[in-house]
Amino acid sequence: MTDLPHSAPAERNKQPILDVLRKVLPARGRALEIASGTGQHVVWFATGMPQWTWQPSDAQATQAQADSLATIGARVVQSGLGNVMPALLLDVMAPQWFDQGIEFDLIFCANMLHIAPWATCAALMQGSVHHLAPGGVLITYGPYLEDDVVTSEGNVAFDQSLRERNPAWGIRRREDVQQQAERAGLRLLQRHAMPANNLLLVWSRATV
Ligand SMILES: C[S@@+](CC[C@H](N)C(=O)[O-])C[C@H]1O[C@@H](n2cnc3c(N)ncnc32)[C@H](O)[C@@H]1O
């Protein structure tokens, strides 16, 4: 696997995330991963939660992102897993992600909101509402700013470096993300503090 593009943070955070997924989710279900990146997460989760089927996806806004689908595919083939579907091209900004009626018990999105324009947040929430099965959850993971929590020095520096790379990027306020979720018809169900000053947030439909 060493020759495939590799994310060191994904390698570090995949087990802590899996530990929470196992606690929060039922024994089996159907999962959609948004912004799968290198595919390290989906392979790890599919290995650790074999009774779930996993649908990886990523957008193709740049050549690097086009390669992401091939990387995910290669990593899945190397893993030999039978419960991961071929990676799909999915830009959260697309007006319709899938045909109506295609639903998932989990929609998982790690580390996209701060490395994409702010409009992707509303798009993620609205698309998720359309494609969550009854009782399903959206889980977002990554760094957030929070009004009542002192921001770590690491996240202050990370936010600054993101904004220097692209003024449309930056760590999002959890409260702003929550507002977008609520507008779309989701509510924040759980907040899990994760290693390295990240959060794992569990969102469900506001009305069941
Ligand atoms: C920092 S990487 C995170 C990858 C992986 N989820 C992880 O945590 O290691 C950000 C990902 O967001 C994806 N992305 C950016 N804009 C997107 C969009 N509009 N729709 C879907 N994915 C997007 C990028 O292609 C990239 O794979």
Side-chain angles (χ1 to χ4, degrees):
M1 295 213 178
T2 46
D3 52 341
L4 291 174
H6 178 269
S7 156
E11 212 49 40
R12 285 195 296 271
N13 61 39
K14 64 185 188 179
Q15 184 60 44
I17 296 174
L18 177 62
D19 290 341
V20 179
L21 295 183
R22 280 196 177 124
K23 274 188 213 137
V24 165
L25 297 170
R28 54 178 57 78
R30 188 164 178 229
L32 166 68
E33 185 182 33
I34 304 281
S36 296
T38 62
Q40 287 160 261
H41 279 154
V42 80
V43 164
W44 193 251
F45 302 159
T47 304
M49 298 175 70
Q51 290 179 300
W52 279 72
T53 57
W54 298 83
Q55 174 63 71
S57 73
D58 209 310
Q60 192 178 332
T62 66
Q63 186 55 43
Q65 287 159 329
D67 294 345
S68 158
L69 293 190
T71 301
I72 299 163
R75 188 161 261 124
V76 171
V77 167
Q78 283 187 356
S79 74
L81 287 163
N83 57 334
V84 186
M85 306 295 120
L88 289 178
L89 186 62
L90 175 55
D91 187 327
V92 293
M93 297 303 288
Q96 192 176 350
W97 291 2
F98 302 105
D99 290 342
Q100 213 173 344
I102 296 195
E103 292 183 336
F104 299 90
D105 305 292
L106 165 67
I107 298 177
F108 177 81
C109 179
N111 293 315
M112 181 195 75
L113 293 177
H114 59 280
I115 293 198
W118 172 236
T120 57
C121 181
L124 174 67
M125 299 303 173
Q126 286 158 17
S128 296
V129 164
H130 283 118
H131 295 293
L132 275 182
V137 291
L138 165 69
I139 293 185
T140 58
Y141 169 90
Y144 294 84
L145 309 175
E146 289 186 298
D147 289 350
D148 52 358
V149 178
V150 177
T151 307
S152 68
E153 278 178 29
N155 276 352
V156 169
F158 184 38
D159 181 49
Q160 196 179 333
S161 73
L162 286 167
R163 291 175 196 278
E164 281 166 8
R165 278 167 68 191
N166 186 331
W169 295 356
I171 301 183
R172 311 303 177 189
R173 278 179 71 232
R174 194 259 300 153
E175 293 82 358
D176 291 340
V177 174
Q178 194 166 343
Q179 190 179 51
Q180 295 299 322
E182 286 168 4
R183 276 192 195 149
L186 296 172
R187 73 187 163 109
L188 182 59
L189 206 61
Q190 294 175 22
R191 173 195 177 282
H192 297 261
M194 302 295 286
N197 300 300
N198 289 291
L199 293 180
L200 183 151
L201 303 175
V202 183
W203 312 86
S204 69
R205 279 213 183 79
T207 51
V208 185

